[in-house]
Amino acid sequence: MGLLDGKVAIITGAGGGIGRAEALLFAREGARVVVNDVGGARDGAGSSEGMARAVADEITAAGGTAVANFDSVATAEGAAGILKTALDAFGRVDILVNNAGILRDKTLLKMDESLWDSVIAVHLKGTFLCTQAVAKQLIAQGGGGRIVNTTSVSGMLGNFGQANYAAAKAGIYGFTRTAAIELQKHRITVNALAPVAKTRMTEDLPMFQTGMDSLTPEHIAPAALFLGSDLCGDRTGNVLAVTGSQMFAYKVVQTPGKFKDEGAAWTAQEIADHWDAITKV
Ligand code: NAI
């Protein structure tokens, strides 16, 4: 018995890194998997069928069931094509993992419009397009299903040199919260992962130059499996973070704050004077 027996899962950007580990684990747990990957470089340049095909072949060779798809998540036609691959091969879909991503780092003052647009398009727009396409299908099937998005510490806390990526990943957080609220009545849970792992996206970061090889995609995949399986129950709108063997959650908190006299507006000087009390958690 696998946790995903009878389920059909779409995993975007599953031709390498974290998505590949998720696809292999989902298939081992009995899911029939659509391995999507556009097969480009880390910065999104180019495309090829090899990456998705290799992972689908790996799953099949291990006795699992998978089909490859090469569409880009960043266009409506691509999202529709990914869903169509699932429906043509398996007749339904149950789980979507929005994992595809690219990196085009530059500091804010050096960032140009194309670096901004391309990163927002793959991460944020791609998550929207694939979620909308799959959610409509889940509802047409009678409701129920699981969406797992991929955010980042960069989006949750900020990171030097990643204004485009952080904005996209913070957008995925807001999108996850809202989609969770809107899709709850259809019994569709929407949660997000915030992974840290050594992949081609991160291998040149200083932390991975100094022996953090133990932070692997295989540490991340079980968290995606949890959020994509019925073990997740009705938990929705959460951000589950995984860094190697550390598992934690990101939460946005509202401080209790401070009231002035009933109805009275704060002056700027009063905000300065009471800053600590206003912002204390
Ligand atoms: P990766 O570069 O190995 O995987 C991303 C995959 O997405 C690649 O195989 C790429 O070809 C594919 N892809 C890119 N654009 C696509 C498109 N338009 N359509 C379909 N596929 C596309 O990197 P990694 O690390 O496995 O990243 C997976 C996800 O995890 C990304 O969303 C990334 O932002 C996120 N993440 C990773 C962290 C890490 O420490 N590795 C940290 C925080 C978030």
Side-chain angles (χ1 to χ4, degrees):
M1 278 288 285
L3 276 175
L4 301 181
D5 281 346
K7 306 285 189 193
V8 174
I10 294 171
I11 304 179
T12 70
I18 293 167
R20 171 180 168 275
E22 292 170 341
L24 295 176
L25 181 59
F26 277 41
R28 278 205 302 281
E29 289 291 337
R32 290 165 287 166
V33 180
V34 176
V35 178
N36 158 264
D37 205 295
V38 80
R42 183 172 82 164
D43 67 358
S47 63
S48 69
E49 299 191 353
M51 290 176 69
R53 209 182 287 290
V55 175
D57 288 349
E58 199 176 345
I59 289 171
T60 310
T65 306
V67 61
N69 170 282
F70 320 108
D71 287 313
S72 170
V73 298
T75 67
E77 303 75 54
I82 296 167
L83 175 61
K84 184 172 184 306
T85 296
L87 299 182
D88 287 351
F90 307 126
R92 61 180 291 114
V93 64
D94 301 283
I95 304 158
L96 167 67
V97 182
N98 284 305
N99 166 79
I102 62 170
L103 212 53
R104 292 191 172 179
D105 290 358
K106 276 274 189 267
T107 53
L108 171 61
L109 299 180
K110 293 181 182 153
M111 175 123 2
D112 66 29
E113 203 177 342
S114 73
L115 297 176
W116 177 271
D117 286 347
S118 56
V119 167
I120 299 286
V122 174
H123 289 276
L124 186 54
K125 190 174 168 192
T127 295
F128 154 63
L129 290 170
C130 292
T131 300
Q132 188 188 56
V134 168
K136 285 181 178 175
Q137 175 62 27
L138 291 171
I139 293 164
Q141 290 172 187
R146 309 226 176 245
I147 314 278
V148 183
N149 296 326
T150 310
T151 182
S152 166
V153 59
S154 186
M156 301 308 297
L157 302 181
N159 194 24
F160 189 92
Q162 293 197 314
N164 52 357
Y165 181 79
K169 291 306 203 185
I172 288 173
Y173 169 77
F175 176 81
T176 298
R177 297 287 302 172
T178 297
I181 293 165
E182 291 187 5
L183 296 178
Q184 200 158 25
K185 66 173 178 287
H186 301 291
R187 294 178 292 105
I188 300 167
T189 58
V190 188
N191 293 286
L193 276 177
V196 175
K198 185 175 181 179
T199 65
R200 75 172 188 178
M201 190 178 274
T202 52
E203 63 194 356
D204 50 6
L205 290 180
M207 66 184 284
F208 289 119
Q209 304 297 306
T210 54
M212 300 291 276
D213 287 1
S214 59
L215 308 185
T216 71
E218 287 70 30
H219 284 84
I220 310 300
L225 174 63
F226 168 76
L227 295 175
S229 77
D230 289 342
L231 286 176
C232 184
D234 58 6
R235 297 175 183 95
T236 195
N238 299 283
V239 179
L240 185 59
V242 193
T243 303
S245 59
Q246 184 190 23
M247 187 83 53
F248 59 100
Y250 283 111
K251 289 176 186 280
V252 172
V253 295
Q254 178 181 340
T255 67
K258 190 172 164 59
F259 285 89
K260 239 187 108 173
D261 307 337
E262 199 176 330
W266 287 74
T267 66
Q269 184 59 55
E270 286 168 340
I271 295 170
D273 294 343
H274 295 275
W275 180 259
D276 288 348
I278 292 167
T279 59
K280 189 163 176 276
V281 177

